[in-house]
Amino acid sequence: DQLSRQNSAAGVLAPADSTWEARVRQEGNFAMALVDWNAMPDRLGFTASFEYSHSPGSYNLTNRPNTAVNLPGTSYLRQAVTLETRYDIMENPQIGARWSWEQYDAVDFASQGIPLITTSATGAQTAIYLGDSIQSYRVNLVALVVQRQF
């Protein structure tokens, strides 16, 4: 929580009704499940996993004259599923195949549509932004794995 008082530019103390408050709430929720099965011990195995991560946020603003407006909420959501099979050729090496699906959804008013450079009407660069727009995505990953232990 954040409390503050507003002051005028002339340095005169603001009236008592200019007090405002910000209640910022951010959470982090995470869950993971994994199943590992050795169909043929020391030879053939399978793994399946699921990951879930969600970070919602809210920004509630209030002041005495009730003119404050809440900021939009934020949400970062990531989900992933992985399937893997592995086979031991001999004692070493091990080969495997892996498929993963991942989805990431980002909703954040403060990181959408940020330009890299702002220019004036004459074409002069007036600002370089250090932030970056966060983009949602969905992806499938395929991998072949060779593992050798020493």
Side-chain angles (χ1 to χ4, degrees), residues 10 14 36 39 44 62 73 97 130 144:
D36 191 37
L44 178 66
T62 57
L130 299 178
L144 295 175

Side-chain angles (χ1 to χ4, degrees), residues 6 10 15 18-19 22 27 29 41 46-47 54 56 67 72 75 80 82 89 96 101 106 118 129-130 132 141:
Q6 300 171 347
S18 65
T19 300
E27 299 176 3
N29 306 308
F46 300 94
T47 302
H54 186 217
T67 56
S75 176
T82 301
I89 297 174
W101 170 86
T118 300
Y129 294 92
L130 299 178
D132 192 11
L141 305 166

Side-chain angles (χ1 to χ4, degrees), residues 14-28:
D17 65 354
S18 65
T19 300
W20 63 272
E21 181 178 2
R23 290 187 182 269
V24 179
R25 181 175 180 176
Q26 295 180 319
E27 299 176 3

Side-chain angles (χ1 to χ4, degrees), residues 64-126:
R64 286 216 178 118
N66 292 325
T67 56
V69 178
N70 293 339
L71 298 172
T74 60
S75 176
Y76 298 94
L77 174 64
R78 180 184 170 272
Q79 300 175 79
V81 175
T82 301
L83 301 175
E84 180 178 327
T85 184
R86 57 197 176 280
Y87 181 79
D88 293 346
I89 297 174
M90 291 190 257
E91 197 169 310
N92 253 330
Q94 183 182 74
I95 60 171
R98 182 181 302 147
W99 169 81
S100 293
W101 170 86
E102 182 175 320
Q103 180 170 325
Y104 181 72
D105 295 312
V107 178
D108 189 342
F109 69 94
S111 63
Q112 301 295 320
I114 299 173
L116 297 178
I117 297 176
T118 300
T119 57
S120 66
T122 62
Q125 294 178 356
T126 57

Side-chain angles (χ1 to χ4, degrees), residues 34-61:
L34 183 131
V35 175
D36 191 37
W37 176 49
N38 288 319
M40 297 171 53
D42 298 325
R43 183 62 70 186
L44 178 66
F46 300 94
T47 302
S49 67
F50 174 75
E51 293 180 44
Y52 172 87
S53 175
H54 186 217
S55 299
S58 64
Y59 305 88
N60 299 315
L61 307 178

